[in-house]
Amino acid sequence: MANRRDFLAKAGAAGGALAAVALGVDTPAETAGGTCKVLLVNGSPHEKGCTYTALSVVAEELEKNGVQAEIIHVGSGPTFDCTACGFCHRAGGGKCVFKEDACNEIIEKAKEAQGFVFGSPVYYGHPSGRLLGVMDRLWVAGGRYLTGKPAAAVASSRRAGSLATLDAIQKHFSINQMPTVASFYWNEVHGNAPEEVLKDEEGLAIMRQLGANMARAAKAFAALPPAQQLPRATTNFIR
């Protein structure tokens, strides 16, 4: 064990944090910017339903591991898809023109967060439209505040459709250089009501492991410098 700790000591702050992920050594919850924090986004229209129940278990485990957790509800009123209006780029500051849901709140809080968990119920084999609309606008207007930070997806279903739901959410992560955090099984719970979710013993265990893994990743990546942005080219298929 001593040789592992010697290695970390010699690696430096950034290298040590990355090595901690690989070698399984805990890093402090405190970062240069303050307490390590993870945002959990509830993409269900029901503020305290099945998705919230799953996210609450993740949040509890985060807190146990010294990471501050905050659950944000996207809202139960009307939400909008991205209309490509360009307001967020013209106005600057990463603000979406639509203010009826939690998109701008998430953007502001993402600036200080070190990790993210996005949860959704399963609708016809895909995430809720409200969550996808908010995520699309979040990534366009404030994606730079999420780049390079660890993220996870959680799905809540009565019976099926969870894997397609997780896949749709996680595509946002992969296009924005965000490491995806997993558990020992796919991040899903089952139940048609919160009390049924609480009877899904395997699902709850998955959520607890996800919380522990996210805490470890958020603390480690918080100590790293911002993700390196190399020169890039944007083309289409005909030029």
Side-chain angles (χ1 to χ4, degrees), residues 186-234:
W186 292 293
N187 301 336
E188 57 183 282
V189 297
H190 295 278
N192 205 37
E195 56 268 24
E196 292 182 359
V197 172
L198 292 174
K199 295 178 182 178
D200 180 7
E201 295 183 6
E202 183 174 1
L204 297 180
I206 293 168
M207 295 301 108
R208 285 191 288 270
Q209 187 64 58
L210 175 60
N213 291 349
M214 174 57 77
R216 189 159 163 259
K219 286 187 281 187
F221 277 91
L224 293 172
Q228 184 181 10
Q229 302 303 307
L230 301 176
R232 59 184 295 176
T234 302

Side-chain angles (χ1 to χ4, degrees), residues 108-132:
E108 281 302 309
K109 293 185 176 182
K111 297 176 182 179
E112 305 300 327
Q114 285 78 43
F116 304 88
V117 181
F118 291 85
S120 176
V122 174
Y123 291 167
Y124 294 97
H126 60 73
S128 72
R130 70 180 52 251
L131 178 63
L132 288 181

Side-chain angles (χ1 to χ4, degrees), residues 163-207:
L163 295 187
T165 296
L166 294 174
D167 181 61
I169 296 174
Q170 289 169 172
K171 282 185 170 66
H172 289 78
F173 309 156
S174 61
I175 202 173
N176 200 30
Q177 307 171 59
M178 302 176 72
T180 301
V181 179
S183 186
F184 59 81
Y185 196 78
W186 292 293
N187 301 336
E188 57 183 282
V189 297
H190 295 278
N192 205 37
E195 56 268 24
E196 292 182 359
V197 172
L198 292 174
K199 295 178 182 178
D200 180 7
E201 295 183 6
E202 183 174 1
L204 297 180
I206 293 168
M207 295 301 108

